Amino acid sequence: MITRRRFLEGSSLAALAAMSGVRSFAAGAGTGPLGRPIGLQLYTVRDVAAKDLAGTLAKLQAIGYREVETAGFYGKSGKEMRKILADHGMTAPSAHSSMGDIQKDMQKLVDGAAEVGAQYFVCAFPSLPGNKPASAAIAKEITLDDWKWNAEQLNKLGEVAKKAGLQAGYHNHNMEFRSFNGVTAFDHLLQLTDPKLVTIELDLGWVVTAGLDPARFLKQHADRVSLLHVKDVRKDAVTAVDEVKAQTVEIGRGKIDWKGVFAACDPQRLKHYFVEQENFTGPTVDAVRTSFEYLSALKS
């Protein structure tokens, strides 16, 4: 299976290079809706990047990606990662780490994000206080008091990030939209975090998985959202807030009205967006190519 995947990815890249029209297209700015560069969360291609980071970045560069969001540096320092990205014509305006990792060494992770050249350092996933391990059932286990603790940690992160010249942020899943006696965890986070210290990276796929209208939600919270995860979900996706289970597809092949979503964005506030996908039926590089091509053709 892995050998076939590598073969298909290699074949796709060869075909791409052989087509002058596609080659010219990939050499462009790689912009999509709102005139923003089409970014990619590298977690999407973690299976191949972990084995061959430079080779994977070369394929992404050939597709047309010029911005990425990191999810770790594959054993390299921030400076080393920045150089590898630069060698492939890319930058990383945002970097991810989980709250669990942030609690272990906040300063080191913030410094690494600064070294890679990021402007944003985003908490990708919440944790539980008291060094309690976060299990797969965290969506059901986490309490409103736990969310309050996460908000407090985000404010602390925001202060540390600010001193390093970065903006801290928080990335949602679907569990943030679980209600506790009429109060959602997401609203609780917004109320308890300082907007000057903590911005929001809104993951639209998880918003839809929670049963919400992404365009309407964007308009309601435009003042807090600086970043987006552009993620599509299956047309038959199951609505849930108490289980973190991805149901993703390539952009344009799911249930989200992307033209409507980008029309709802505030172009003055939204700085970057990143394609992300967790589920695949074929090679991951082929999937991110499909998403890139869809967004490149989309006019908002």
PDB file of all heavy atoms in Angstrom, residues 144-165:
ATOM      1  N   LEU A 144     -17.040  22.453  32.152  1.00  0.00           N
ATOM      2  CA  LEU A 144     -16.979  23.900  31.948  1.00  0.00           C
ATOM      3  C   LEU A 144     -15.849  24.506  32.778  1.00  0.00           C
ATOM      4  O   LEU A 144     -15.187  25.454  32.337  1.00  0.00           O
ATOM      5  CB  LEU A 144     -18.325  24.540  32.312  1.00  0.00           C
ATOM      6  CG  LEU A 144     -18.567  25.950  31.755  1.00  0.00           C
ATOM      7  CD1 LEU A 144     -18.516  25.960  30.237  1.00  0.00           C
ATOM      8  CD2 LEU A 144     -19.912  26.490  32.240  1.00  0.00           C
ATOM      9  N   ASP A 145     -15.612  23.951  33.974  1.00  0.00           N
ATOM     10  CA  ASP A 145     -14.479  24.417  34.780  1.00  0.00           C
ATOM     11  C   ASP A 145     -13.154  24.121  34.087  1.00  0.00           C
ATOM     12  O   ASP A 145     -12.206  24.904  34.179  1.00  0.00           O
ATOM     13  CB  ASP A 145     -14.498  23.759  36.160  1.00  0.00           C
ATOM     14  CG  ASP A 145     -15.516  24.393  37.098  1.00  0.00           C
ATOM     15  OD1 ASP A 145     -15.954  25.523  36.812  1.00  0.00           O
ATOM     16  OD2 ASP A 145     -15.881  23.742  38.102  1.00  0.00           O
ATOM     17  N   ASP A 146     -13.094  22.977  33.401  1.00  0.00           N
ATOM     18  CA  ASP A 146     -11.887  22.644  32.640  1.00  0.00           C
ATOM     19  C   ASP A 146     -11.677  23.644  31.501  1.00  0.00           C
ATOM     20  O   ASP A 146     -10.544  24.033  31.203  1.00  0.00           O
ATOM     21  CB  ASP A 146     -11.983  21.234  32.062  1.00  0.00           C
ATOM     22  CG  ASP A 146     -11.972  20.154  33.131  1.00  0.00           C
ATOM     23  OD1 ASP A 146     -11.461  20.414  34.231  1.00  0.00           O
ATOM     24  OD2 ASP A 146     -12.502  19.051  32.856  1.00  0.00           O
ATOM     25  N   TRP A 147     -12.760  24.052  30.880  1.00  0.00           N
ATOM     26  CA  TRP A 147     -12.649  25.053  29.815  1.00  0.00           C
ATOM     27  C   TRP A 147     -12.177  26.389  30.385  1.00  0.00           C
ATOM     28  O   TRP A 147     -11.408  27.116  29.750  1.00  0.00           O
ATOM     29  CB  TRP A 147     -13.976  25.215  29.080  1.00  0.00           C
ATOM     30  CG  TRP A 147     -14.278  24.102  28.122  1.00  0.00           C
ATOM     31  CD1 TRP A 147     -15.298  23.195  28.192  1.00  0.00           C
ATOM     32  CD2 TRP A 147     -13.543  23.778  26.933  1.00  0.00           C
ATOM     33  NE1 TRP A 147     -15.240  22.315  27.131  1.00  0.00           N
ATOM     34  CE2 TRP A 147     -14.173  22.650  26.345  1.00  0.00           C
ATOM     35  CE3 TRP A 147     -12.417  24.324  26.315  1.00  0.00           C
ATOM     36  CZ2 TRP A 147     -13.712  22.071  25.165  1.00  0.00           C
ATOM     37  CZ3 TRP A 147     -11.949  23.744  25.126  1.00  0.00           C
ATOM     38  CH2 TRP A 147     -12.600  22.634  24.568  1.00  0.00           C
ATOM     39  N   LYS A 148     -12.631  26.710  31.591  1.00  0.00           N
ATOM     40  CA  LYS A 148     -12.173  27.936  32.254  1.00  0.00           C
ATOM     41  C   LYS A 148     -10.669  27.866  32.471  1.00  0.00           C
ATOM     42  O   LYS A 148      -9.949  28.854  32.240  1.00  0.00           O
ATOM     43  CB  LYS A 148     -12.893  28.118  33.589  1.00  0.00           C
ATOM     44  CG  LYS A 148     -12.449  29.362  34.348  1.00  0.00           C
ATOM     45  CD  LYS A 148     -13.160  29.480  35.691  1.00  0.00           C
ATOM     46  CE  LYS A 148     -12.676  30.707  36.460  1.00  0.00           C
ATOM     47  NZ  LYS A 148     -13.335  30.817  37.794  1.00  0.00           N
ATOM     48  N   TRP A 149     -10.184  26.713  32.904  1.00  0.00           N
ATOM     49  CA  TRP A 149      -8.746  26.522  33.107  1.00  0.00           C
ATOM     50  C   TRP A 149      -8.004  26.693  31.777  1.00  0.00           C
ATOM     51  O   TRP A 149      -6.950  27.352  31.726  1.00  0.00           O
ATOM     52  CB  TRP A 149      -8.482  25.136  33.687  1.00  0.00           C
ATOM     53  CG  TRP A 149      -7.024  24.809  33.830  1.00  0.00           C
ATOM     54  CD1 TRP A 149      -6.199  25.141  34.860  1.00  0.00           C
ATOM     55  CD2 TRP A 149      -6.216  24.086  32.881  1.00  0.00           C
ATOM     56  NE1 TRP A 149      -4.923  24.674  34.631  1.00  0.00           N
ATOM     57  CE2 TRP A 149      -4.913  24.013  33.429  1.00  0.00           C
ATOM     58  CE3 TRP A 149      -6.477  23.487  31.646  1.00  0.00           C
ATOM     59  CZ2 TRP A 149      -3.864  23.386  32.758  1.00  0.00           C
ATOM     60  CZ3 TRP A 149      -5.436  22.860  30.981  1.00  0.00           C
ATOM     61  CH2 TRP A 149      -4.144  22.810  31.536  1.00  0.00           C
ATOM     62  N   ASN A 150      -8.546  26.126  30.693  1.00  0.00           N
ATOM     63  CA  ASN A 150      -7.908  26.281  29.382  1.00  0.00           C
ATOM     64  C   ASN A 150      -7.852  27.746  28.972  1.00  0.00           C
ATOM     65  O   ASN A 150      -6.850  28.208  28.409  1.00  0.00           O
ATOM     66  CB  ASN A 150      -8.646  25.457  28.324  1.00  0.00           C
ATOM     67  CG  ASN A 150      -8.197  24.010  28.269  1.00  0.00           C
ATOM     68  OD1 ASN A 150      -7.236  23.664  27.599  1.00  0.00           O
ATOM     69  ND2 ASN A 150      -8.899  23.155  29.011  1.00  0.00           N
ATOM     70  N   ALA A 151      -8.919  28.489  29.247  1.00  0.00           N
ATOM     71  CA  ALA A 151      -8.931  29.919  28.924  1.00  0.00           C
ATOM     72  C   ALA A 151      -7.836  30.655  29.695  1.00  0.00           C
ATOM     73  O   ALA A 151      -7.143  31.527  29.143  1.00  0.00           O
ATOM     74  CB  ALA A 151     -10.298  30.517  29.241  1.00  0.00           C
ATOM     75  N   GLU A 152      -7.653  30.301  30.951  1.00  0.00           N
ATOM     76  CA  GLU A 152      -6.605  30.924  31.763  1.00  0.00           C
ATOM     77  C   GLU A 152      -5.223  30.635  31.186  1.00  0.00           C
ATOM     78  O   GLU A 152      -4.354  31.523  31.143  1.00  0.00           O
ATOM     79  CB  GLU A 152      -6.700  30.412  33.206  1.00  0.00           C
ATOM     80  CG  GLU A 152      -7.952  30.886  33.938  1.00  0.00           C
ATOM     81  CD  GLU A 152      -8.176  30.157  35.254  1.00  0.00           C
ATOM     82  OE1 GLU A 152      -7.458  29.156  35.508  1.00  0.00           O
ATOM     83  OE2 GLU A 152      -9.054  30.586  36.028  1.00  0.00           O
ATOM     84  N   GLN A 153      -5.032  29.405  30.746  1.00  0.00           N
ATOM     85  CA  GLN A 153      -3.743  29.039  30.146  1.00  0.00           C
ATOM     86  C   GLN A 153      -3.524  29.753  28.817  1.00  0.00           C
ATOM     87  O   GLN A 153      -2.386  30.117  28.484  1.00  0.00           O
ATOM     88  CB  GLN A 153      -3.659  27.517  29.948  1.00  0.00           C
ATOM     89  CG  GLN A 153      -3.917  26.687  31.184  1.00  0.00           C
ATOM     90  CD  GLN A 153      -3.189  27.190  32.403  1.00  0.00           C
ATOM     91  OE1 GLN A 153      -1.961  27.332  32.387  1.00  0.00           O
ATOM     92  NE2 GLN A 153      -3.928  27.470  33.468  1.00  0.00           N
ATOM     93  N   LEU A 154      -4.589  29.961  28.072  1.00  0.00           N
ATOM     94  CA  LEU A 154      -4.477  30.677  26.800  1.00  0.00           C
ATOM     95  C   LEU A 154      -4.074  32.135  27.033  1.00  0.00           C
ATOM     96  O   LEU A 154      -3.270  32.693  26.267  1.00  0.00           O
ATOM     97  CB  LEU A 154      -5.796  30.606  26.027  1.00  0.00           C
ATOM     98  CG  LEU A 154      -6.136  29.244  25.414  1.00  0.00           C
ATOM     99  CD1 LEU A 154      -7.567  29.240  24.883  1.00  0.00           C
ATOM    100  CD2 LEU A 154      -5.151  28.893  24.300  1.00  0.00           C
ATOM    101  N   ASN A 155      -4.612  32.740  28.071  1.00  0.00           N
ATOM    102  CA  ASN A 155      -4.208  34.113  28.392  1.00  0.00           C
ATOM    103  C   ASN A 155      -2.734  34.184  28.779  1.00  0.00           C
ATOM    104  O   ASN A 155      -2.012  35.118  28.396  1.00  0.00           O
ATOM    105  CB  ASN A 155      -5.081  34.678  29.512  1.00  0.00           C
ATOM    106  CG  ASN A 155      -6.462  35.075  29.033  1.00  0.00           C
ATOM    107  OD1 ASN A 155      -6.639  35.509  27.898  1.00  0.00           O
ATOM    108  ND2 ASN A 155      -7.461  34.933  29.913  1.00  0.00           N
ATOM    109  N   LYS A 156      -2.276  33.183  29.539  1.00  0.00           N
ATOM    110  CA  LYS A 156      -0.856  33.118  29.890  1.00  0.00           C
ATOM    111  C   LYS A 156      -0.006  32.940  28.636  1.00  0.00           C
ATOM    112  O   LYS A 156       1.033  33.583  28.473  1.00  0.00           O
ATOM    113  CB  LYS A 156      -0.604  31.965  30.852  1.00  0.00           C
ATOM    114  CG  LYS A 156      -1.206  32.156  32.237  1.00  0.00           C
ATOM    115  CD  LYS A 156      -0.954  30.937  33.109  1.00  0.00           C
ATOM    116  CE  LYS A 156      -1.606  31.086  34.483  1.00  0.00           C
ATOM    117  NZ  LYS A 156      -1.398  29.876  35.332  1.00  0.00           N
ATOM    118  N   LEU A 157      -0.469  32.055  27.749  1.00  0.00           N
ATOM    119  CA  LEU A 157       0.239  31.837  26.484  1.00  0.00           C
ATOM    120  C   LEU A 157       0.287  33.133  25.683  1.00  0.00           C
ATOM    121  O   LEU A 157       1.310  33.463  25.067  1.00  0.00           O
ATOM    122  CB  LEU A 157      -0.457  30.745  25.677  1.00  0.00           C
ATOM    123  CG  LEU A 157       0.074  30.501  24.266  1.00  0.00           C
ATOM    124  CD1 LEU A 157       1.522  30.024  24.309  1.00  0.00           C
ATOM    125  CD2 LEU A 157      -0.801  29.477  23.538  1.00  0.00           C
ATOM    126  N   GLY A 158      -0.821  33.865  25.692  1.00  0.00           N
ATOM    127  CA  GLY A 158      -0.876  35.115  24.958  1.00  0.00           C
ATOM    128  C   GLY A 158       0.166  36.113  25.430  1.00  0.00           C
ATOM    129  O   GLY A 158       0.777  36.825  24.617  1.00  0.00           O
ATOM    130  N   GLU A 159       0.381  36.178  26.726  1.00  0.00           N
ATOM    131  CA  GLU A 159       1.390  37.081  27.284  1.00  0.00           C
ATOM    132  C   GLU A 159       2.793  36.675  26.850  1.00  0.00           C
ATOM    133  O   GLU A 159       3.607  37.521  26.456  1.00  0.00           O
ATOM    134  CB  GLU A 159       1.293  37.085  28.808  1.00  0.00           C
ATOM    135  CG  GLU A 159       0.022  37.693  29.380  1.00  0.00           C
ATOM    136  CD  GLU A 159       0.013  39.206  29.346  1.00  0.00           C
ATOM    137  OE1 GLU A 159       0.960  39.806  28.767  1.00  0.00           O
ATOM    138  OE2 GLU A 159      -0.934  39.803  29.903  1.00  0.00           O
ATOM    139  N   VAL A 160       3.068  35.372  26.931  1.00  0.00           N
ATOM    140  CA  VAL A 160       4.397  34.875  26.540  1.00  0.00           C
ATOM    141  C   VAL A 160       4.624  35.079  25.042  1.00  0.00           C
ATOM    142  O   VAL A 160       5.703  35.508  24.615  1.00  0.00           O
ATOM    143  CB  VAL A 160       4.543  33.387  26.920  1.00  0.00           C
ATOM    144  CG1 VAL A 160       5.855  32.814  26.379  1.00  0.00           C
ATOM    145  CG2 VAL A 160       4.472  33.216  28.428  1.00  0.00           C
ATOM    146  N   ALA A 161       3.610  34.786  24.246  1.00  0.00           N
ATOM    147  CA  ALA A 161       3.720  34.953  22.799  1.00  0.00           C
ATOM    148  C   ALA A 161       3.937  36.417  22.429  1.00  0.00           C
ATOM    149  O   ALA A 161       4.752  36.737  21.554  1.00  0.00           O
ATOM    150  CB  ALA A 161       2.467  34.413  22.122  1.00  0.00           C
ATOM    151  N   LYS A 162       3.235  37.299  23.110  1.00  0.00           N
ATOM    152  CA  LYS A 162       3.354  38.734  22.830  1.00  0.00           C
ATOM    153  C   LYS A 162       4.784  39.215  23.043  1.00  0.00           C
ATOM    154  O   LYS A 162       5.314  40.006  22.248  1.00  0.00           O
ATOM    155  CB  LYS A 162       2.384  39.514  23.719  1.00  0.00           C
ATOM    156  CG  LYS A 162       2.373  41.008  23.460  1.00  0.00           C
ATOM    157  CD  LYS A 162       1.360  41.699  24.370  1.00  0.00           C
ATOM    158  CE  LYS A 162       1.340  43.208  24.133  1.00  0.00           C
ATOM    159  NZ  LYS A 162       0.352  43.881  25.009  1.00  0.00           N
ATOM    160  N   LYS A 163       5.419  38.743  24.092  1.00  0.00           N
ATOM    161  CA  LYS A 163       6.804  39.134  24.377  1.00  0.00           C
ATOM    162  C   LYS A 163       7.758  38.643  23.296  1.00  0.00           C
ATOM    163  O   LYS A 163       8.826  39.230  23.086  1.00  0.00           O
ATOM    164  CB  LYS A 163       7.233  38.586  25.743  1.00  0.00           C
ATOM    165  CG  LYS A 163       6.516  39.253  26.916  1.00  0.00           C
ATOM    166  CD  LYS A 163       6.936  38.647  28.230  1.00  0.00           C
ATOM    167  CE  LYS A 163       6.182  39.293  29.406  1.00  0.00           C
ATOM    168  NZ  LYS A 163       6.542  38.672  30.705  1.00  0.00           N
ATOM    169  N   ALA A 164       7.368  37.562  22.611  1.00  0.00           N
ATOM    170  CA  ALA A 164       8.201  37.021  21.534  1.00  0.00           C
ATOM    171  C   ALA A 164       7.810  37.595  20.172  1.00  0.00           C
ATOM    172  O   ALA A 164       8.354  37.179  19.143  1.00  0.00           O
ATOM    173  CB  ALA A 164       8.077  35.493  21.502  1.00  0.00           C
ATOM    174  N   GLY A 165       6.873  38.542  20.175  1.00  0.00           N
ATOM    175  CA  GLY A 165       6.444  39.156  18.922  1.00  0.00           C
ATOM    176  C   GLY A 165       5.407  38.365  18.160  1.00  0.00           C
ATOM    177  O   GLY A 165       5.200  38.591  16.964  1.00  0.00           O
TER     178      GLY A 165
END
